[in-house]
Amino acid sequence: MNDDALAASLAGHLDALTFADRSTDEVTALLVDAVAAWGATQGFRVYRRATSVVPLPAPYQTRHSIVDVACARPTGRPIVIEVDRTDRRRTVEKLLAEAEAGRVALWVRWGPGPFAAPPAPIRLVTCEVAVRNHRHSRLPARPAPQHSAPAGATAEPVELPLTAD
């Protein structure tokens, strides 16, 4: 599966995710869980909070940053996935370094949008989420109300009675 197909597959998996009235931390945790579940269903070995190739800034330069989810595939390059609500420069730098090290870099961005496209070769996977009173929801699409006419149907005109003034 090529990089674009991986991103599309993950996006399709996340499209089914719904929730209501969740905090920022809860939504991030739900998305990380969903990303890990996607990797497992693909037959990948999934690692949460995996070590990144990027060292931390001083005074912790002997330690490395982490990525939210990493996936090892039986064939093909490893995949690293970051999940963020905000557009963080450090995340872009980390994913670019991961891609330079030979990994497929996927960035799951969530929120109300719009989402700026990251530089190549990072693949963006978006998850639109509504926010109200600092709570986040992603609800399934509602069906049309029962009284709606089917697509293409025309309504018959109705004569209204005249009233006397």
Side-chain angles (χ1 to χ4, degrees), residues 161-165:
L162 294 174
T163 57
D165 293 313

PDB file of all heavy atoms in Angstrom, residues 161-165:
ATOM      1  N   PRO A 161     -58.001  28.258  -0.107  1.00  0.00           N
ATOM      2  CA  PRO A 161     -59.290  28.940  -0.203  1.00  0.00           C
ATOM      3  C   PRO A 161     -59.101  30.457  -0.054  1.00  0.00           C
ATOM      4  O   PRO A 161     -58.206  30.904   0.655  1.00  0.00           O
ATOM      5  CB  PRO A 161     -60.084  28.368   0.967  1.00  0.00           C
ATOM      6  CG  PRO A 161     -59.068  27.835   1.903  1.00  0.00           C
ATOM      7  CD  PRO A 161     -57.884  27.461   1.091  1.00  0.00           C
ATOM      8  N   LEU A 162     -59.917  31.191  -0.757  1.00  0.00           N
ATOM      9  CA  LEU A 162     -59.887  32.641  -0.625  1.00  0.00           C
ATOM     10  C   LEU A 162     -60.646  33.023   0.617  1.00  0.00           C
ATOM     11  O   LEU A 162     -61.679  32.456   0.946  1.00  0.00           O
ATOM     12  CB  LEU A 162     -60.542  33.297  -1.839  1.00  0.00           C
ATOM     13  CG  LEU A 162     -59.787  33.079  -3.170  1.00  0.00           C
ATOM     14  CD1 LEU A 162     -60.596  33.653  -4.306  1.00  0.00           C
ATOM     15  CD2 LEU A 162     -58.430  33.730  -3.108  1.00  0.00           C
ATOM     16  N   THR A 163     -60.148  34.012   1.308  1.00  0.00           N
ATOM     17  CA  THR A 163     -60.850  34.472   2.515  1.00  0.00           C
ATOM     18  C   THR A 163     -61.390  35.849   2.246  1.00  0.00           C
ATOM     19  O   THR A 163     -60.803  36.644   1.504  1.00  0.00           O
ATOM     20  CB  THR A 163     -59.888  34.517   3.720  1.00  0.00           C
ATOM     21  OG1 THR A 163     -58.796  35.353   3.417  1.00  0.00           O
ATOM     22  CG2 THR A 163     -59.407  33.126   4.063  1.00  0.00           C
ATOM     23  N   ALA A 164     -62.514  36.134   2.856  1.00  0.00           N
ATOM     24  CA  ALA A 164     -63.115  37.453   2.703  1.00  0.00           C
ATOM     25  C   ALA A 164     -62.449  38.418   3.649  1.00  0.00           C
ATOM     26  O   ALA A 164     -62.144  38.091   4.778  1.00  0.00           O
ATOM     27  CB  ALA A 164     -64.616  37.382   2.994  1.00  0.00           C
ATOM     28  N   ASP A 165     -62.265  39.640   3.185  1.00  0.00           N
ATOM     29  CA  ASP A 165     -61.649  40.680   4.034  1.00  0.00           C
ATOM     30  C   ASP A 165     -62.636  41.210   4.998  1.00  0.00           C
ATOM     31  O   ASP A 165     -63.679  41.598   4.849  1.00  0.00           O
ATOM     32  CB  ASP A 165     -61.063  41.812   3.190  1.00  0.00           C
ATOM     33  CG  ASP A 165     -59.876  41.311   2.391  1.00  0.00           C
ATOM     34  OD1 ASP A 165     -59.017  40.623   2.982  1.00  0.00           O
ATOM     35  OD2 ASP A 165     -59.802  41.634   1.193  1.00  0.00           O
TER      36      ASP A 165
END
